[in-house]
Amino acid sequence: MKKRCTAVVLAAGSGKRMKSSVAKQFIQLDGKPLIWYALRAMEDSEIIDDCILVTGEEDIPYVRREIVGKYGFGKVDAVIAGGAERCFSVANALQVIAGEKMKAANRDGYVFIHDGARPFLTEEILRDTYRAVETYHACVAAVPSKDTVKIADVSGFVTATPARELLWSIQTPQVFETKLIVKAYEMLLEKWDDLREQGIVVTDDAGVVELFSDTKVKLVTASYGNIKITTPEDLAIAEKLLSDMK
């Protein structure tokens, strides 16, 4: 029997790197706000049961009215405020799940954490990550690196060249057993000051699980088209991809 799957869609970013006065999640892509695409993928999915949308606190009324309400995203159970950093936005969503503040509890299911700025999420990626998390308890969408990657010192000189066949570019969704990811984030918040003092920086959800559990994170081959819109160049690529799909 399929377990309950809750999506956490992160849309609390700014337009800084987009060089836009509009938060990037609201930038228009083919006539719709960028966040529409990730939410539509969740709404149409047979895998996802409900969704928490994380946005800027000041944007909550607008998002509820002009995105969730306007486009009829019935799976969006909660629209909540994000934090100062990505990890705090995720933590806020997980506290909603752990506190059973949604219409249906997700105690023993899975949580799919996805960047709202990735508009090309597919049902195939959702299905493949669901199958992986059933077996491995934690997994992330990813693609093999196309580029040679260098490790540099603080002065910008190469210190090592990792074998390319071992390198992957990490995407979202990142998917975990509910209890596993809730516990890992509780530990992250508890140890936050100590981690900062030690210079330890966690940049994704898998990193939190790696740090605070013994669970290995499985890489699931996704798609090179599952891009994240961060810069104006990314937006141009997204527009071309959408044009090619028509």
Side-chain angles (χ1 to χ4, degrees), residues 107-176:
R107 304 182 189 90
D108 300 305
Y110 304 113
V111 178
F112 287 64
I113 304 170
H114 186 64
D115 297 323
R118 291 187 189 271
F120 299 114
L121 177 64
T122 65
E123 183 71 359
E124 181 179 9
I125 293 173
L126 290 170
R127 184 175 61 248
D128 289 348
T129 50
Y130 176 78
R131 288 172 177 167
V133 76
E134 283 187 298
T135 301
Y136 302 105
H137 317 294
C139 69
V140 298
V143 289
S145 176
K146 293 180 179 181
D147 301 315
T148 296
V149 175
K150 301 287 186 180
I151 298 175
D153 61 21
V154 293
S155 299
F157 291 96
V158 173
T159 60
T161 305
R164 188 169 61 184
E165 61 269 21
L166 300 179
L167 298 176
W168 290 68
S169 296
I170 303 305
Q171 302 178 344
T172 64
Q174 302 195 2
V175 189
F176 311 91

Side-chain angles (χ1 to χ4, degrees), residues 36-209:
W36 180 90
Y37 294 89
L39 292 174
R40 175 50 59 192
M42 301 304 182
E43 189 74 20
D44 293 344
S45 175
E46 295 182 359
I47 300 297
I48 301 302
D49 296 295
D50 51 16
C51 178
I52 299 174
L53 177 56
V54 187
T55 191
E57 185 170 9
E58 68 282 2
D59 295 323
I60 290 176
Y62 174 85
V63 167
R64 284 177 173 160
R65 182 182 67 252
E66 297 297 327
I67 295 179
V68 177
K70 178 178 179 179
Y71 295 107
F73 290 127
K75 286 186 181 179
V76 177
D77 193 325
V79 181
I80 67 169
E85 299 186 34
R86 181 188 189 278
C87 62
F88 295 129
S89 293
V90 176
N92 289 352
L94 293 175
Q95 287 168 0
V96 171
I97 295 172
E100 298 188 0
K101 297 176 182 178
M102 303 183 71
K103 293 175 184 176
N106 184 345
R107 304 182 189 90
D108 300 305
Y110 304 113
V111 178
F112 287 64
I113 304 170
H114 186 64
D115 297 323
R118 291 187 189 271
F120 299 114
L121 177 64
T122 65
E123 183 71 359
E124 181 179 9
I125 293 173
L126 290 170
R127 184 175 61 248
D128 289 348
T129 50
Y130 176 78
R131 288 172 177 167
V133 76
E134 283 187 298
T135 301
Y136 302 105
H137 317 294
C139 69
V140 298
V143 289
S145 176
K146 293 180 179 181
D147 301 315
T148 296
V149 175
K150 301 287 186 180
I151 298 175
D153 61 21
V154 293
S155 299
F157 291 96
V158 173
T159 60
T161 305
R164 188 169 61 184
E165 61 269 21
L166 300 179
L167 298 176
W168 290 68
S169 296
I170 303 305
Q171 302 178 344
T172 64
Q174 302 195 2
V175 189
F176 311 91
E177 288 182 336
T178 301
K179 291 179 180 177
L180 172 65
I181 193 64
V182 166
K183 180 63 176 177
Y185 262 91
E186 287 175 349
M187 293 295 296
L188 176 70
L189 296 181
E190 181 181 331
K191 302 292 185 181
W192 182 257
D193 291 337
D194 292 339
L195 294 175
R196 285 300 187 186
E197 288 180 7
Q198 298 170 45
I200 298 173
V201 178
V202 180
T203 58
D204 72 343
D205 313 297
V208 181
V209 169

